[in-house]
Amino acid sequence: MKIRCCIPGPDGDWELRAADLDTPFMLGPGAAHPQMTVGDFFEAVKSFLTADEVIREPLSAAYGEEMLLPLQDAGERWLIRMEKHGAFYHVACVEGGCLGPRRRLAVVSALEETGKRFLKDDVRNIGRLLEKRGGGDLPVAYCMAEIHSSCGEGKPGWLMVLSEWLEDCHEWHHTLGEGTSHILIWDRAGGGRRADEAEYAAIYRGVSRLLALHYNPVTFERIDLWHHAAGDFVVSRFGDDLRVRLTTVRRYESMPFFAGESGVDPRIPLVYLFLESALKTRCDRRDGTGEVVWAEDDVLGPTLDGFCLGLREKEADRDALPENAGHLLELLKPFSAEELLQVYSSLLPLYEREDPEELRMMQIRLPEHCRALFRTIQSASLRAFQAADRAQPAGRPAGRP
């Protein structure tokens, strides 16, 4: 069996030489591991894929159908491509096989304890959501294993997960060009391209749709700890439309105000979820790792539309929602900008342990955000939302990608 180790380059895969493999392994932008090399990382991935002694925990019934480890066919040719170093995870693409169609899968790795904890939570949370709603929006995880460190006895090892590779899905981030900020879709094959006006709206609509769609209206659990800067939402073409998918669910729980509480009016957590979504979606980092940037007011309309679309899909699935999309708008319309600001004052402390720079941006922009959100809510057509609710069939909802 032949396994090549590569990194992506502008003209295709670049196979690493011995000198490249001896360079320090990067834990993140500008942060090198004091002992581990790039070669150590690739050897750990190889062990995960091929070693007999590795104990792999199956995570999905699809594990044996998609790819059963260890790889042992001498005739197979595989490529491991180092794709991304994130704050918590390191992602590699594994592709190859024997003659016939090449398979592509992801190996998601964590080295530090915080990352390992998040990765275990991630796998569990995604499994719960997939069990409830099925696939399409979330990557399926197949198996997980601990891989010993090659840096010596007692050194931290890896936690690795084999999962679905999100084919033709791309990160996106705000960037600066021609004096204005815009979204760049990181389409490697296309060299990266600027999102047009329709795609720009579709991205924010798709993000809020998923946040509403995966909300649990009984337990009030929602997707938490998500950040655009981390690449948690990716995009791909779906016919003529742009489709948004989630890459991670690090935390899935209710807001602390509602956790374990009885007698909660279920409309209140729903309003809080929308307000949280509308605020957090405005933060990104320039080019993914630069300074925090704030999206313009024009993302709020698509955010409201997408959230209501997610609610309509849940209603069509009879998912125990307390209100339909039109009723949500009825709940929001009485709020003044000042009252929105009061509600947000109770939400901001939830983000104190996340990204302090994002939190500071939210604090600075919050009064302006509340005024813009108030205008967006007031300009939304209640009649249009109610008509869409009445017209929505009980089966697969219209407009669902």
Side-chain angles (χ1 to χ4, degrees):
M1 180 185 305
K2 180 176 176 58
I3 300 179
R4 298 168 54 215
C5 300
C6 301
I7 60 173
D11 300 316
D13 294 323
W14 178 23
E15 190 162 359
L16 299 179
R17 302 162 297 179
D20 302 315
L21 295 170
D22 283 338
T23 58
F25 181 77
M26 302 304 292
L27 296 171
H33 192 280
Q35 294 174 294
M36 189 169 292
T37 66
V38 170
D40 293 328
F41 169 75
F42 279 105
E43 287 303 314
V45 177
K46 287 181 185 178
S47 294
F48 177 56
L49 297 174
T50 65
D52 288 325
E53 66 272 15
V54 171
I55 301 173
R56 303 170 182 88
E57 176 189 353
L59 300 171
S60 166
Y63 170 48
E65 301 167 11
E66 188 63 38
M67 180 179 187
L68 190 61
L69 301 182
L71 302 177
Q72 295 179 327
D73 191 328
E76 291 189 333
R77 297 292 183 267
W78 289 92
L79 177 148
I80 304 171
R81 183 188 303 108
M82 185 188 293
E83 292 280 353
K84 178 183 178 180
H85 298 292
F88 303 111
Y89 309 151
H90 309 273
V91 181
C93 177
V94 178
E95 63 175 88
C98 293
L99 295 176
R102 292 172 67 85
R103 288 175 288 174
R104 274 199 187 127
L105 294 133
V107 174
V108 183
S109 310
L111 182 63
E112 299 185 322
E113 289 308 311
T114 300
K116 290 180 182 180
R117 186 175 70 250
F118 278 141
L119 186 52
K120 289 178 181 178
D121 290 345
D122 211 338
V123 166
R124 184 181 67 250
N125 294 335
I126 287 177
R128 284 183 61 196
L129 295 177
L130 286 173
E131 186 177 345
K132 183 175 180 62
R133 299 204 62 86
D137 297 323
L138 294 159
V140 178
Y142 300 120
C143 70
M144 176 169 62
E146 295 269 3
I147 305 297
H148 296 302
S149 172
S150 59
C151 295
E153 192 69 28
K155 299 298 181 183
W158 290 93
L159 180 68
M160 293 190 170
V161 172
L162 181 73
S163 68
E164 175 188 3
W165 178 257
L166 298 182
E167 196 69 41
D168 296 323
C169 290
H170 314 294
E171 271 195 56
W172 55 273
H173 292 288
H174 285 78
T175 191
L176 191 63
E178 301 175 359
T180 61
S181 180
H182 58 270
I183 284 179
L184 187 71
I185 296 174
W186 291 7
D187 182 349
R188 186 179 298 148
R193 59 184 180 81
R194 179 173 179 166
D196 61 29
E197 186 175 342
E199 290 172 327
Y200 179 85
I203 288 172
Y204 285 97
R205 187 182 304 112
V207 168
S208 60
R209 168 190 167 266
L210 290 178
L211 294 172
L213 188 63
H214 291 292
Y215 170 63
N216 188 319
V218 176
T219 64
F220 312 136
E221 291 169 297
R222 91 286 191 213
I223 294 170
D224 192 15
L225 288 185
W226 58 272
H227 296 271
H228 290 325
D232 292 346
F233 295 89
V234 293
V235 299
S236 64
R237 300 303 307 182
F238 189 79
D240 294 331
D241 300 321
L242 200 69
R243 178 183 185 182
V244 177
R245 297 184 72 178
L246 265 164
T247 63
T248 178
V249 183
R250 296 184 202 90
R251 182 186 291 167
Y252 188 70
E253 61 182 33
S254 64
M255 293 182 186
F257 331 116
F258 312 120
E261 294 293 325
S262 60
V264 175
D265 182 339
R267 296 173 298 179
I268 298 174
L270 188 62
V271 168
Y272 272 57
L273 175 63
F274 169 71
L275 295 180
E276 176 180 70
S277 305
L279 180 65
K280 289 189 66 175
T281 202
R282 301 193 71 169
C283 285
D284 190 12
R285 285 187 176 270
R286 194 166 315 279
D287 300 318
T289 58
E291 71 274 15
V292 176
V293 295
W294 183 255
E296 297 293 333
D297 293 349
D298 58 5
V299 305
L300 294 177
T303 296
L304 176 58
D305 292 344
F307 197 87
C308 290
L309 174 61
L311 294 186
R312 287 200 291 271
E313 292 186 41
K314 290 179 76 65
E315 186 185 12
D317 293 341
R318 295 178 173 83
D319 199 7
L321 272 174
E323 301 294 335
N324 61 31
H327 288 159
L328 173 69
L329 202 54
E330 285 181 338
L331 293 172
L332 292 171
K333 277 194 176 284
F335 281 88
S336 67
E338 292 74 20
E339 288 168 331
L340 290 173
L341 187 60
Q342 289 175 6
V343 176
Y344 272 122
S345 67
S346 63
L347 286 176
L348 286 182
L350 301 182
Y351 317 131
E352 288 177 351
R353 294 188 178 182
E354 296 184 30
D355 186 326
E357 293 181 42
E358 280 194 12
L359 176 60
R360 181 60 182 153
M361 177 67 80
M362 292 177 190
Q363 292 168 331
I364 292 170
R365 298 280 194 161
L366 191 57
E368 162 198 330
H369 167 75
C370 291
R371 291 190 292 270
L373 184 58
F374 170 76
R375 292 192 298 270
T376 299
I377 292 169
Q378 296 308 313
S379 64
S381 169
L382 188 60
R383 180 176 299 176
F385 279 110
Q386 290 172 333
D389 288 332
R390 289 194 298 270
Q392 190 63 57
R396 180 172 178 166
R400 181 173 180 172

